Amino acid sequence: MAVETTTRAKLRWGLLDVLVVVFALIPVLWIASLSFKTPATLTDGNFIPREWTLDNYKTIFDTDQFVRALINSIGIALIATLIAVVLGAMAAYAISRLDFPGKKLLVGVSLLIAMFPQVSLVSPLFEIERQLKIFDTWPGLILPYITFALPLAIYTLSAFFKQIPWDLEKAAKMDGATQGQAFRRVIAPLAAPGLFTTAILVFIFCWNDFLFAITLTSTERARTVPVALSFFTGESQFEDPTGAICAAAVVITVPIILFVLFFQRRIVSGLTSGAVKG
Amino acid sequence: MSADTVEKSTTPTVPTQRGGRRKPPLSENKKAERKLGLLLCAPAALVMILVTAYPIIYSVWLSLQRFDLRFPDQREFIGLDNYVTVLTNEFWWTAFGVTMLITVVTVAVELVLGMGLAIIMHRTLVGRGLVRTSALIPYGIVTVVAAFSWRYAWTPGTGYLANLFSDGAPLTERASSLAIIMLAEIWKTTPFMALLLMAGLALVPEDLLKAASTDGATAWQKFTKVMLPVMKPAILVALLFRTLDAFRVFDNIFVLTAGGNETSSVSMLAYNNLIRGLNLGIGSTMSVLIFITVAIIAFIFVKLFGTAAPGSDDSERR
Amino acid sequence: MADIVLDKVSKSFPDGTVAVQDVDLEIADGEFVILVGPSGCGKSTTLNMIAGLEDISSGELRIAGQRVNDKAPRDRDIAMVFQSYALYPNMTVRENMAFPLRLAKLDKETINRKVDEAAKVLELTSLLDRKPANLSGGQRQRVAMGRAIVRQPKAFLMDEPLSNLDAKLRVQMRTVVSRLQKQLGTTTVYVTHDQTEAMTLGDRVVIMRGGAVQQVGPPQELYDHPRNLFVAGFIGSPSMNFLHAAVQDGGLHTALGEVPLGDRVRRELESADAPRELILGIRPEHFEDAELVDDDTRRRGMEFEAPVDIVESMGSDKYVYFTVEGEKASAAELEELAADAGAADFAGAGGNLVTRLSAESTVAEGQTRRVWFNLEKIHLFDPGTGRNLTLHEGRAAGALAD
Ligand SMILES: Nc1ncnc2c1ncn2[C@@H]1O[C@H](COP(=O)(O)OP(=O)(O)OP(=O)(O)O)[C@@H](O)[C@H]1O
Ligand SMILES: [Mg+2]
C-alpha cells in the first residue's frame, strides 16, 4: 500500500514537474523554432519547423550589425562583471569580517540602489555622459552596470563570506602562515565558489540589460545585442527580419542556458543566500 | 584574478604584532581595522554614489529647467512648471495607471504561482534538478528575447497563439496587449519570486510540519498555520523586491507594443520624452516623479509590513 | 621546548570588556597546565594571547625567556588545536598535516617522513588521503592533533579540543592526549570546561573567574585546599555542599546542629571586622552512615538526623540526598557557579545535602537517617570575600584546628 501511494505521489509530482518544464521552455523553444524556419514557412504558425535551415544564422553572422553588437555585449558584460565582483568582494569582505563605522550605511545604500528605479537615472546620465564624452561608449554602459550589479554582488558575497569558517585563518597563522599565505592557501580556495557564483549572476544581469543600453548608446559603437535586436531591419527594407532576430536571440540565449545547465545549484544558492538573511 | 586584488588589500588586517613603537596596541589595532574597512568599501561606495546620488540630484536640477535638446537656446530655469505640465498631462496619468495595474496584477499572480513553484521545487519527489534548472531559464533569458518570442507567438500569421482568441490581432488592442505584457512579465519573473520563497520554505522546520500532521492538521491548515507564518519575512522581502522591480517595467512593453494603444508605462513615457522627444526637462521631471513614487512604495512596505531589509542586521562578525 | 611566563598580562577589548586581568603564571618546560573556569572567564582569550592571535593590552609574555608580545604567531613556534578542529576542508589529511611543514619550507622527503610518523602515532595512516569532510569526529580531532605535533613546536595550546566529541570518545581521546604529551614532553596549555579533564590531565590546574586567576596548583591540592568559595564550588563533582552558618558563643549554628570551633578559627572570628555569618562547606564523601562509623572515627566528627530524599546506588558507593531545613547559603560566587553549571548540576547551595555513603549502608528513601560527618574536613568561608577561613599556610585544617 505504501508503495502504491508513493507511486501515485510520484506521478502527481511528475505531472506538476512536466507542467513547470513546459511553461518554462515553450517561449525559448518557440523562438529557436522560428530561427530554423525558412522565409517561406516562417508564417505557418507551426511550432515545429517543416523545413529546417541555418540561413538565418548565416545572415546574422554576415552582417556587421550583429557581430559588432555581440562583441560589445560580451566585452561590456565581462568587464563590468570583473570590476563589480572585485569591488563587491572587497566591500563584502569588510562587511562580513571587519568592524568599522558606516557599515550599516553601506548596506543600506546598496539596498536602496537595488530597489532604485533605473529609468530615473536615464535622463541625467544621458546628459552627464554626453558632457563627459562617454555617451555611446563602452565605459558609458559599464559604469551604470557596475553600479547596479554591486548591491547584488555585495549581498551574495557577504552571505558566502559569512559561511567561511574564519577559525581557519587563525589555524593557518598558528601553522606559520603570513596573512597573505593564509589568504591565498586557505581562504581563497574556499571563497572561490562564491566569487564564481556571484560572477555568473552579475554577468546575467549585465547581459540582460536593455534600458541603459538603448538610452546610452546611439550607434553600433557600443550597442549591445538586445538593443541591436530591436533595431534589426534585415538586409533590405523589404526583407522580413523575423528569422534574423530569432537567430540572434538564440545566439545570446545559448550562454545563459549553458550557465543554467551547469551551475544550477550555485545560481540557486547564490540568489537565495543574498536575499535571505544568512 | 579578483582573488588577488582582495588579497592585496586585505594584507594589512594582520593584528600587527610587529613594531613595538605603538603605544596602546588596541586602539591602533582597532584603528587599522576601521581604516581597512573603510578603504575596502570606498571604491564600491564611491561608484554607487557617484552613479546614482549625483545624477538624481542633477536630474532634480534639470527638472526645474526648460531644456529641450532640439531648442538648446531656450534653456532656462522655470521652477516647478515642468511638474505642473507632467502632472496635468493625461498621458502621464494613463501611463501611471498602466504601470500600477501591471505592478499589482503581476506581483499578485507571481506570488501565487511563485509559491506553487517554490513548493514544487522544494518538495517534488522526482526530477528536482530538472525542475530547478528549467525554472531558472526564464530568470536567465534576456527579457528582450523572451518578449520577441511572445510577440511572434501572438502575431497573426506567424504565431501559434494568435488564433487562440478569434478576434485576430491581440497586440493591436489595448486590453489584450496589456494582458500579454503581463503574461510576459509573469513568465519572466515568477522563477525569481519562487526562488526567494523557496529560501523561506527551507526555514520551515520539518519537525513542525510533522507535529502539525500528528495534531491532525490538513494540508491547507499546515500551509496557512505553520508554513506561512514562518515564511512571512521571506514573503515580504520577495514582495518588496518584485513590486519595485515590476514598477520599472520597460523591456517587454518596448518590444511587444512600443507603447502603442496606451500601453506605455512610466518608464516607457520617460524614455520617449528623452530619446525620442529629446526633452531633458520633461524627461527628468518624470525621472524624479518615478523616483519619489518608488521611495513611497518602499517606505510603505517597510513601515506598514515591517519588512526587514535583507542584510540589514550587522550580525556576528566572526 | 620552552617555558611560558605570563607577567601581569591583561586584555581589554575595544568595547571596554576586560577579559583578562593581571594574570601571573609560570609554566615550566614540559609542564601540562589546564585552564578551567566558567564560560566567559577569559580562558580562550588567555590562550589566544599566548598564541599571538590577540594582542596583549598590558603585561609581558615570555616564551623560553624571550619577550614575545610583539611577535606574530608564526614567529612564536607554537601549535594550536582548536575546538572546531579548523581543518582545511580543501586539503586531504596528509596535506593538512603537511601544511605547517610546507610553510616552514622543509624538503618533500622530510615532510613525508614526519607526516607518516605523526600519522602512525595517531593511527591515521589509512586515512591520509581522505578529505576532512569524510572523517568522523574523533578522526578529525586526531588530524588536528597530528597537525599540531608534526612540526615539534615549543608548545601546544589546546582550546577545548575534546568538547565536540561524544562522552565515550572523549574518554578515549583524553588518554591519547595524555599519553602523547608525556611521550613528547612538550609544554602544553589546555583549556577545558570538563571537571574530569581538569582533574586527570594536567600537572597543574589554573582556575579563572572573571578574567582573574583564583588559584593555581596540582589538581589534588585545589580539591583539598581550595583558597576560596569559588574554587571550592567549582572543583569536584558532585560539588561541595554549602550551608549557612551563624557565629554564636564561640561555635557555629547550622542546619546540621551546633558545630564546635577550634582555637585558630575562633581567634580569627574574634577580630572586630570578622563576619558574623559564614558559609560552611563540606564535600559529599566526608559524610557517612552513622551506623557504619567506628568510635575512633566518630570522635572526629558529629552527627545529625535528616529525612532521606533520594538514594542513587553507584555500586561502589551510594549518593544519598537529604533534605535539610534552615537558611540557604548565599554569596555571589555561589550564584555564579549555579548559573554556570546550569542549576541541575550544582545542588551545593540548595536545601539539599548531597552525601556519598558506603555501599553497605542500608539507607532507603523515605527514612529519617542518622548521618555522621567529618569536622576535620569542614571548610568555612567568608560570604563577603569568599576567603577560606580554615586555610592555614595554604592548607585546610577543618573546623577544630588549634
Ligand atoms: N572580540 C571581543 N570583543 C569584546 N569582547 C570579547 C571579545 N572576545 C571575547 N570577549 C569577551 O571576553 C570575555 C572572555 O572571553 P573568552 O572567549 O576568553 O571566554 P572563555 O573563558 O573562553 O569562555 P568559553 O568557556 O565560553 O569559551 C567574555 O566576556 C567575552 O564576551
Ligand atoms: Mg573559549
Side-chain angles (χ1 to χ4, degrees):
Chain A
M1 192 179 122
V3 178
E4 198 179 326
T5 48
T6 50
T7 334
R8 273 195 24 213
K10 269 190 185 157
L11 220 69
R12 216 170 43 224
W13 282 118
L15 225 65
L16 284 172
D17 291 354
V18 170
L19 210 67
V20 171
V21 173
V22 167
F23 178 68
L25 291 187
I26 277 200
V28 183
L29 294 177
W30 168 241
I31 206 152
S33 148
L34 283 179
S35 78
F36 290 114
K37 285 183 178 179
T38 58
T41 55
L42 198 58
T43 53
D44 63 4
N46 233 19
F47 204 93
I48 298 163
R50 291 212 184 95
E51 293 170 48
W52 294 72
T53 173
L54 287 175
D55 281 354
N56 293 319
Y57 291 89
K58 284 200 196 96
T59 316
I60 55 165
F61 280 106
D62 281 343
T63 60
D64 203 34
Q65 209 183 355
F66 175 72
V67 177
R68 185 65 226 214
L70 191 60
I71 294 172
N72 287 341
S73 259
I74 295 174
I76 290 171
L78 280 183
I79 296 174
T81 302
L82 187 72
I83 300 178
V85 170
V86 170
L87 298 190
M90 286 160 55
Y93 177 87
I95 286 172
S96 56
R97 283 279 287 148
L98 305 174
D99 198 15
F100 60 96
K103 187 154 109 180
K104 270 195 171 160
L105 188 72
L106 180 76
V107 174
V109 165
S110 39
L111 188 71
L112 280 183
I113 290 177
M115 305 190 290
F116 200 91
Q118 288 151 356
V119 70
S120 289
L121 285 190
V122 158
S123 17
L125 277 183
F126 177 74
E127 179 61 11
I128 293 170
E129 292 202 349
R130 274 183 341 117
Q131 282 166 15
L132 293 177
K133 305 265 184 291
I134 55 169
F135 179 76
D136 198 24
T137 63
W138 281 22
L141 279 185
I142 290 174
L143 214 56
Y145 286 0
I146 296 174
T147 308
F148 283 95
L150 268 175
L152 180 69
I154 292 177
Y155 278 124
T156 323
L157 285 170
S158 348
F160 272 114
F161 285 175
K162 276 183 189 155
Q163 287 168 6
I164 294 180
W166 294 98
D167 247 8
L168 293 180
E169 199 180 49
K170 284 192 200 168
K173 279 192 216 163
M174 291 310 299
D175 283 343
T178 61
Q179 176 84 21
Q181 284 171 321
F183 185 87
R184 204 165 46 245
R185 304 181 63 166
V186 176
I187 299 300
L190 296 178
L195 289 173
F196 183 71
T197 305
T198 310
I200 292 181
L201 295 180
V202 169
F203 185 88
I204 290 179
F205 168 80
C206 300
W207 192 247
N208 210 329
D209 173 78
F210 182 66
L211 181 62
F212 287 122
I214 199 168
T215 46
L216 299 179
T217 63
S218 59
T219 67
E220 286 177 13
R221 215 151 51 115
R223 204 173 263 166
T224 57
V225 181
V227 179
L229 277 189
S230 66
F231 284 121
F232 257 14
T233 48
E235 266 171 37
S236 71
Q237 280 236 297
F238 307 101
E239 200 171 325
D240 181 17
T242 307
I245 289 180
C246 292
V250 170
V251 170
I252 62 167
T253 304
V254 168
I256 302 294
I257 304 253
L258 290 181
F259 282 153
V260 168
L261 280 184
F262 288 113
F263 308 116
Q264 176 257 119
R265 215 172 282 262
R266 287 188 174 187
I267 295 175
V268 170
S269 77
L271 278 174
T272 50
S273 67
V276 172
K277 290 188 185 188
Chain B
M1 186 121 172
S2 48
D4 273 349
T5 324
V6 176
E7 180 208 334
K8 257 178 239 139
S9 24
T10 50
T11 312
T13 4
V14 212
T16 28
Q17 267 80 22
R18 280 144 267 172
R21 72 216 115 71
R22 288 176 292 115
K23 288 157 282 167
L26 258 177
S27 60
E28 272 295 318
N29 210 4
K30 180 78 188 161
K31 248 194 241 161
E33 185 177 328
R34 284 169 164 234
K35 207 170 126 194
L36 178 72
L38 290 174
L39 217 68
L40 287 176
C41 287
L46 221 64
V47 171
M48 290 197 288
I49 287 171
L50 275 185
V51 181
T52 55
Y54 174 67
I56 208 64
I57 292 164
Y58 187 66
S59 85
V60 171
W61 167 240
L62 285 178
S63 73
L64 301 176
Q65 301 175 19
R66 174 181 302 137
F67 188 9
D68 192 325
L69 285 178
R70 286 166 306 179
F71 315 105
D73 306 338
Q74 293 175 12
R75 184 173 177 173
E76 65 171 318
F77 187 84
I78 52 168
L80 293 175
D81 277 9
N82 280 333
Y83 288 88
V84 175
T85 312
V86 171
L87 290 176
T88 54
N89 183 302
E90 64 177 301
F91 284 119
W92 165 260
W93 288 112
T94 310
F96 194 84
V98 166
T99 313
M100 277 301 189
L101 178 75
I102 292 178
T103 305
V104 170
V105 174
T106 57
V107 172
V109 174
E110 277 168 25
L111 181 62
V112 176
L113 286 184
M115 186 64 87
L117 182 54
I119 292 174
I120 293 176
M121 288 195 292
H122 189 64
R123 305 202 77 90
T124 184
L125 299 172
V126 279
R128 181 174 302 181
L130 177 72
V131 177
R132 290 190 180 187
T133 306
S134 1
L136 272 180
I137 285 179
Y139 164 78
I141 294 289
V142 176
T143 316
V144 173
V145 168
F148 270 113
S149 174
W150 291 116
R151 184 168 124 188
Y152 293 137
W154 292 100
T155 304
T158 323
Y160 59 102
L161 292 175
N163 301 324
L164 219 54
F165 308 103
S166 49
D167 46 348
L171 281 170
T172 56
E173 273 159 52
R174 186 164 189 234
S176 50
S177 298
L178 283 177
I180 293 170
I181 291 171
M182 290 192 242
L183 169 71
E185 281 281 301
I186 291 168
W187 179 81
K188 165 86 182 145
T189 46
T190 298
F192 182 67
M193 181 75 117
L195 284 174
L196 295 191
L197 294 177
M198 192 174 74
L201 263 182
L203 299 179
V204 180
E206 208 51 41
D207 286 352
L208 210 59
L209 292 176
K210 282 191 196 140
S213 296
T214 47
D215 290 346
T218 63
W220 178 250
Q221 281 169 329
K222 272 194 284 183
F223 178 69
T224 53
K225 298 263 154 56
V226 181
M227 280 155 72
L228 279 187
V230 178
M231 290 177 67
K232 194 180 156 216
I235 293 176
L236 285 177
V237 166
L239 277 183
L240 172 66
F241 268 92
R242 272 303 304 144
T243 304
L244 297 183
D245 193 39
F247 198 80
R248 312 191 270 216
V249 56
F250 178 78
D251 307 13
N252 271 318
I253 298 180
F254 190 98
V255 172
L256 284 169
T257 66
N261 305 312
E262 301 191 335
T263 54
S264 273
S265 66
V266 284
S267 296
M268 196 68 210
L269 200 63
Y271 166 82
N272 274 336
N273 271 287
L274 182 76
I275 303 298
R276 300 258 159 88
L278 291 175
N279 193 331
L280 267 180
I282 295 288
S284 299
T285 308
M286 289 178 175
S287 297
V288 173
L289 287 172
I290 293 169
F291 178 73
I292 292 172
T293 314
V294 164
I296 291 173
I297 296 177
F299 182 80
I300 289 174
F301 259 94
V302 172
K303 272 283 163 278
L304 225 58
F305 305 123
T307 310
S312 60
D313 61 330
D314 59 337
S315 47
E316 35 21 291
R317 34 184 282 258
R318 288 168 198 222
Chain C
M1 269 168 246
D3 61 325
I4 300 173
V5 178
L6 284 81
D7 189 354
K8 295 240 174 314
V9 166
S10 300
K11 170 80 190 180
S12 39
F13 282 107
D15 61 3
T17 321
V18 179
V20 174
Q21 211 168 7
D22 288 333
V23 168
D24 281 319
L25 191 60
E26 289 186 22
I27 302 167
D29 186 13
E31 196 177 15
F32 197 150
V33 165
I34 311 277
L35 291 184
V36 280
S39 193
C41 71
K43 305 179 295 284
S44 296
T45 308
T46 308
L47 208 66
N48 284 340
M49 283 192 289
I50 299 176
L53 295 170
E54 295 276 9
D55 282 350
I56 295 170
S57 307
S58 70
E60 193 169 274
L61 173 69
R62 289 186 294 272
I63 298 176
Q66 224 190 347
R67 181 189 147 98
V68 294
N69 284 38
D70 302 319
K71 277 197 176 170
R74 57 192 251 99
D75 300 324
R76 296 190 187 190
D77 193 17
I78 287 177
M80 187 153 170
V81 178
F82 293 82
Q83 181 176 1
S84 60
Y85 313 142
L87 300 180
Y88 309 121
N90 51 326
M91 304 182 194
T92 62
V93 170
R94 177 182 289 281
E95 286 164 342
N96 261 285
M97 287 169 61
F99 189 66
L101 302 177
R102 293 218 329 253
L103 289 171
K105 300 219 159 52
L106 296 187
D107 62 272
K108 259 218 168 80
E109 252 162 66
T110 323
I111 292 179
N112 277 338
R113 187 171 44 76
K114 288 194 171 200
V115 170
D116 287 335
E117 265 169 38
K120 211 160 119 200
V121 173
L122 287 160
E123 294 167 27
L124 288 169
T125 312
S126 59
L127 306 174
L128 279 175
D129 294 320
R130 293 221 202 145
K131 289 269 173 75
N134 306 325
L135 298 178
S136 71
Q139 290 167 338
R140 283 180 211 183
Q141 217 291 324
R142 275 183 285 151
V143 177
M145 300 278 296
R147 197 175 59 190
I149 65 171
V150 270
R151 56 180 239 251
Q152 293 153 323
K154 284 194 191 130
F156 294 138
L157 306 179
M158 307 192 187
D159 195 349
E160 309 198 26
L162 308 184
S163 62
N164 281 347
L165 300 178
D166 61 50
K168 209 165 168 190
L169 261 177
R170 205 179 301 173
V171 175
Q172 214 176 321
M173 279 311 294
R174 205 167 66 209
T175 56
V176 173
V177 172
S178 171
R179 185 163 44 84
L180 208 60
Q181 202 273 343
K182 290 215 175 70
Q183 206 173 321
L184 301 170
T186 307
T187 317
T188 303
V189 185
Y190 185 107
V191 168
T192 181
H193 239 105
D194 185 296
Q195 281 278 331
T196 332
E197 284 175 30
M199 292 301 285
T200 55
L201 274 177
D203 299 322
R204 281 194 302 158
V205 176
V206 179
I207 297 191
M208 296 184 67
R209 172 190 173 214
V213 170
Q214 300 292 302
Q215 192 169 356
V216 184
Q220 196 62 46
E221 186 183 313
L222 298 192
Y223 189 83
D224 292 337
H225 314 291
R227 193 187 286 164
N228 59 33
L229 192 54
F230 184 81
V231 175
F234 191 81
I235 294 278
S237 174
S239 60
M240 190 184 272
N241 295 290
F242 294 107
L243 299 160
H244 176 263
V247 182
Q248 256 170 23
D249 320 322
L252 287 177
H253 180 73
T254 76
L256 305 183
E258 303 299 321
V259 174
L261 288 176
D263 282 345
R264 213 176 49 70
V265 177
R266 203 174 307 153
R267 265 201 308 282
E268 189 132 6
L269 289 174
E270 269 162 12
S271 70
D273 56 349
R276 307 312 303 154
E277 322 241 298
L278 298 180
I279 290 174
L280 181 151
I282 180 157
R283 293 205 183 273
E285 64 269 30
H286 296 134
F287 291 90
E288 187 52 280
D289 189 334
E291 286 174 9
L292 302 175
V293 183
D294 61 50
D295 288 345
D296 213 27
T297 320
R298 196 182 303 274
R299 239 173 287 126
R300 284 189 273 142
M302 60 178 274
E303 287 170 29
F304 66 98
E305 249 180 28
V308 176
D309 215 8
I310 299 171
V311 179
E312 290 173 355
S313 186
M314 310 296 288
S316 55
D317 37 35
K318 284 182 171 143
Y319 286 118
V320 184
Y321 298 75
F322 292 92
T323 316
V324 291
E325 307 290 318
E327 209 175 321
K328 279 189 181 171
S330 71
E333 282 93 336
L334 294 181
E335 271 160 38
E336 204 174 307
L337 286 167
D340 191 53
D345 232 31
F346 189 78
N352 241 343
L353 205 61
V354 187
T355 67
R356 202 170 111 192
L357 311 181
S358 338
E360 296 98 79
S361 168
T362 56
V363 61
E365 283 169 22
Q367 289 179 334
T368 295
R369 200 71 183 187
R370 232 181 140 63
V371 182
W372 170 91
F373 65 98
N374 190 344
L375 283 172
E376 287 173 5
K377 298 293 185 184
I378 276 178
H379 301 278
L380 294 171
F381 302 96
D382 179 342
T385 62
R387 195 167 67 90
N388 187 347
L389 302 173
T390 40
L391 212 62
H392 182 60
E393 288 167 354
R395 319 215 49 91
L400 302 176
D402 293 321

